[in-house]
Amino acid sequence: MMRPLEELEQLRWPLRQQALDMVYNGKTGHLGGDFSVIDALIVLYFRHLNMSPEQQDDANRDRFLLSKGHAVEAFYAVLAEAGFIDVKDVIKNYAKDGSPYIGHPNHGIPGIEMNTGSLGHGLPIACGMALAAKMDELSYRTYCFMGDGELAEGSVWEGAMSGSNFALDNLCGLIDRNHLQISGDTEDVMKLDSLKERWEAFGWHVVECDGNDLSALDAAFTEAENTKGQPTMIIANTVKGYGSPLMENKAGWHHQVPNAEQYETIKGELKARAEEVRNG
Amino acid sequence: MANLANRAVIADVLMKRAATDSEIVVLCSDSRGSAALDPFFETYPKQAVEVGIAEQDLVGMSAGLAACGKKAVAVSPASFLATRSYEQARVDCAYSDTNVILVGISGGVSYGELGMTHQSAQDIAALAAVPNMRVYLPSDQHQTRKLMNALLDDEKCAYVRVGRSVVPDVYAEDDCPFELNRANVLREGSDVALIATGELVHACLEAAKALEAEGISTTVVDMYCVKPLDEEAVLRAAKGAKVVLTAEEAAPFGGLGSMVAQVVGEKCPRPMKTLALPDAPVKTGTKAQIFARYGLDAAGIAKRAKEFLAAAK
């Protein structure tokens, strides 16, 4: 069921709070990337992805892969909102002894297609899924979200070649372009400049957008759906830690776990953003 | 039936099965010629995928296809398939439990003249270490045919390693007992137990004949299923013998020898020796020359078994 953007504008703050609760309670996780990519997840799941708990065995369901699997807390929050899992159960058990909710996506969890998180794996798998749709003449689409630091993995570019070689216009990738990875600025670690031109050179249609603007993301996914003959890569320009000034644009928050004081600060920041939306 | 290389048998099985099973998809990494799969690509172009020289993409795409209901068969030289795309095999196939059959062709020292880059001496140890990954080295054309058909009938991932050239028959077309994951005991003796896999099974049979002529009674087990290892067959062979030797076309650590030693050491201690390639780059030669150099031909196996038995007495 497609939800109005106005509703999603409100939703994105409590879902961030849930991811924060998972990380704080589980004492591990990747909040910076959660907060940069969660808006794209929300727009995809509630406006574009043809996949619901009732469709899990439907051969024609849309496929989604979170190749940047470390943002799993954001993924869990969105899956819970979509009705696949119970968010209270996730917050209580995430990363606990023997828990099924581990720190990267696992296909034992309803709604998760494949085990991901080793970077660079998602795009080739997504190519296989999209190619299967072509072979079976099914209409489903395949989506793959990657991190920008992830693009240093050679297998990403092997998948990039396959995507265009097989003219997989039913495939849409998204790069969470937050410019930060564990060791710092992506441009200091391994340059990714001319990113749009790189993907275009590999035969992809490229859409650049503000990756923390729901309307812009919505338009980008629509453009991808309307693009024929080649796959689409959305370069979603995001802010790491978006929504929490404490965390925004700080590489350290890639995998830092907040202490009690920081938790309260971030919680307050998210609450303020939610109130801003409510007050128009 | 013509004597076919195991890789050609695999291609033949895929051709025959694809005729009635449109879910079979074969993927190659610029390796279809080596895999004898040109006819498959010509006959079933919609079920054939060429990814170019990109093994990570080969296995990742295979997993994606399999996750969408295909029976994906990725065929590539064992040296590259087993190690270049090892992580995709570990994560995308085994961990994600996808129906992918990884076929490593030109395995072991098939490319004896080409150096270590093109040899797969570590594939058995590497793949056997992965949970949910099965590892098979069929010994001849007849067993290869039965193995491939069996693997196409189940929905789990597996790694199959075969060599490049025609190998002598261990079985006959009408006499090839086969049960998936059960080793074949080819002969039983009371002095030496030879447990072998892949192309060395035939060499061990020949060695057993030579040992027999010298009054040394020898068991030969065809452990084509390195993983899951047929422990029952290992124990049966070990219990009935004074010494146990394993033979494999692989590096000496982590493969068949190590796995058999764990079982024998724990449940039926016997003096045990691993016959394998060295823990070093293999010196150049044809496969036959390499086997002779490292004591993996029939004569070498018989000699080392005899010496080991004598030392154990």
Side-chain angles (χ1 to χ4, degrees):
Chain A
M1 175 81 82
M2 189 187 279
R3 299 196 197 176
L5 280 171
E6 299 72 33
E7 186 186 323
L8 301 185
E9 287 289 352
Q10 292 179 29
L11 185 63
R12 59 185 178 150
W13 308 112
L15 291 197
R16 279 180 168 81
Q17 177 64 44
Q18 290 168 4
L20 172 67
D21 288 343
M22 289 173 210
V23 171
Y24 184 62
N25 193 43
K27 297 184 174 56
T28 186
H30 295 81
L31 275 176
D34 285 337
F35 280 26
S36 62
V37 82
I38 197 167
D39 293 326
L41 282 167
I42 288 169
V43 173
L44 178 69
Y45 266 77
F46 303 119
R47 289 185 64 80
H48 294 272
L49 196 75
N50 180 33
M51 168 63 167
S52 64
E54 294 73 37
Q55 292 171 286
Q56 290 185 73
D57 297 319
D58 181 355
N60 205 25
R61 69 185 184 280
D62 283 350
R63 305 311 200 272
F64 171 72
L65 295 171
L66 185 65
S67 193
K68 54 164 288 179
H70 52 279
V72 73
E73 301 90 9
F75 194 17
Y76 287 145
V78 170
L79 283 174
E81 179 66 25
F84 288 95
I85 50 178
D86 174 10
V87 75
K88 286 180 187 161
D89 186 36
V90 184
I91 292 169
K92 184 180 170 198
N93 293 305
Y94 172 65
K96 301 292 185 188
D97 189 10
S99 171
Y101 303 110
I102 57 179
H104 288 93
N106 187 282
H107 67 156
I109 302 297
I112 297 181
E113 301 281 354
M114 298 280 282
N115 299 339
T116 55
S118 178
L119 299 174
H121 283 232
L123 198 58
I125 297 170
C127 286
M129 291 176 153
L131 187 60
K134 295 276 184 191
M135 286 174 170
D136 292 338
E137 296 180 359
L138 291 172
S139 59
Y140 72 83
R141 294 180 59 75
T142 300
Y143 295 87
C144 175
F145 284 13
M146 296 179 285
D148 50 2
E150 178 177 359
L151 301 183
E153 290 283 5
S155 52
V156 170
W157 301 98
E158 292 185 13
M161 284 196 278
S162 278
S164 58
N165 183 71
F166 297 108
L168 299 175
D169 51 14
N170 53 356
L171 171 63
C172 175
L174 181 139
I175 297 161
D176 179 12
R177 183 71 172 117
N178 60 33
H179 281 266
L180 290 173
Q181 57 192 106
I182 292 180
S183 303
D185 191 310
T186 56
E187 302 316 288
D188 294 330
V189 178
M190 181 53 70
K191 285 184 177 56
L192 290 171
D193 57 356
S194 312
L195 195 52
K196 183 170 189 279
E197 290 77 8
R198 293 189 197 206
W199 284 93
E200 283 173 345
F202 274 74
W204 288 60
H205 176 65
V206 181
V207 187
E208 260 193 294
C209 72
D210 181 338
N212 296 119
D213 178 322
L214 303 192
S215 300
L217 284 163
D218 190 48
F221 285 122
T222 300
E223 185 172 328
E225 285 155 11
N226 293 330
T227 299
K228 301 300 170 198
Q230 62 184 147
T232 296
M233 184 58 65
I234 297 171
I235 300 174
N237 292 309
T238 60
V239 172
K240 196 149 190 164
Y242 183 79
S244 162
L246 178 75
M247 296 197 296
E248 282 178 6
N249 285 320
K250 296 188 185 78
W253 281 102
H254 177 82
H255 57 178
Q256 187 172 328
V257 177
N259 59 29
E261 188 185 338
Q262 290 165 328
Y263 172 83
E264 291 301 330
T265 301
I266 299 166
K267 189 177 174 181
E269 290 169 341
L270 295 175
K271 202 173 164 192
R273 294 301 296 261
E275 274 169 16
E276 273 174 36
V277 177
R278 265 197 299 277
N279 297 334
Chain B
M1 194 172 76
N3 216 8
L4 294 175
N6 293 344
R7 64 191 168 105
V9 172
I10 290 172
D12 189 49
V13 170
L14 292 170
M15 281 287 278
K16 288 191 168 76
R17 293 291 296 259
T20 56
D21 189 348
S22 60
E23 298 298 351
I24 290 174
V25 177
V26 174
L27 299 95
C28 284
S29 54
D30 200 21
S31 47
R32 70 179 98 157
S34 303
L37 281 164
D38 280 323
F40 186 98
F41 274 67
E42 283 156 24
T43 311
Y44 302 106
K46 290 181 178 170
Q47 291 170 250
V49 180
E50 174 61 72
V51 305
I53 305 166
E55 291 78 15
Q56 298 182 81
D57 196 34
L58 174 83
V59 179
M61 279 189 72
S62 297
L65 283 157
C68 294
K70 302 296 177 190
K71 295 175 184 175
V73 184
V75 189
S76 180
S79 54
F80 315 125
L81 182 64
T83 48
R84 187 65 161 265
S85 46
Y86 181 60
E87 205 188 48
Q88 280 74 15
R90 185 173 73 92
V91 178
D92 307 348
C93 300
Y95 186 34
S96 282
D97 199 15
T98 50
N99 185 12
V100 178
I101 303 174
L102 302 167
V103 178
I105 56 169
S106 305
V109 290
S110 293
Y111 290 132
E113 301 91 338
L114 301 187
M116 187 165 156
T117 54
H118 284 59
Q119 295 161 1
S120 64
Q122 296 79 30
D123 55 346
I124 301 175
L127 273 304
V130 176
N132 198 39
M133 178 61 73
R134 300 172 295 170
V135 177
Y136 301 104
L137 282 78
S139 59
D140 79 351
Q141 57 174 332
H142 307 296
Q143 192 181 56
T144 300
R145 185 174 299 278
K146 292 201 167 176
L147 172 67
M148 275 309 289
N149 274 307
L151 294 179
L152 287 168
D153 286 334
D154 69 22
E155 295 187 346
K156 291 175 273 185
C157 63
Y159 173 71
V160 180
R161 188 238 269 188
V162 293
R164 182 167 177 77
S165 304
V166 172
V167 291
D169 280 353
V170 171
Y171 305 97
E173 190 175 357
D174 58 356
D175 184 16
C176 179
F178 183 86
E179 189 182 340
L180 191 61
N181 302 332
R182 302 294 291 185
N184 284 330
V185 179
L186 300 176
R187 55 184 293 160
E188 288 191 273
S190 55
D191 295 315
V192 171
L194 292 175
I195 302 174
T197 193
E199 296 183 20
L200 292 187
V201 172
H202 186 268
C204 282
L205 272 177
E206 294 296 306
K209 284 181 200 165
L211 290 167
E212 203 72 52
E214 297 190 46
I216 297 170
S217 168
T218 304
T219 292
V220 176
V221 178
D222 176 358
M223 190 63 72
Y224 76 88
C225 46
V226 175
K227 192 185 173 194
L229 188 75
D230 185 346
E231 288 195 17
E232 209 179 299
V234 170
L235 290 173
R236 201 174 115 201
K239 275 177 187 160
K242 298 184 181 76
V243 298
V244 177
L245 293 93
T246 59
E248 62 198 299
E249 186 182 347
F253 307 127
L256 179 69
S258 298
M259 293 171 75
V260 167
Q262 285 184 334
V263 176
V264 170
E266 183 184 333
K267 296 178 179 169
C268 181
R270 291 284 185 279
M272 231 217 90
K273 190 174 182 67
T274 297
L275 307 183
L277 295 167
D279 179 32
V282 169
K283 284 187 183 170
T284 307
T286 63
K287 183 178 272 200
Q289 288 164 342
I290 289 168
F291 282 176
R293 176 176 303 122
Y294 296 109
L296 293 172
D297 59 353
I301 291 168
K303 179 171 179 285
R304 293 204 281 174
K306 185 180 166 186
E307 288 169 359
F308 191 56
L309 177 66
K313 277 181 178 170

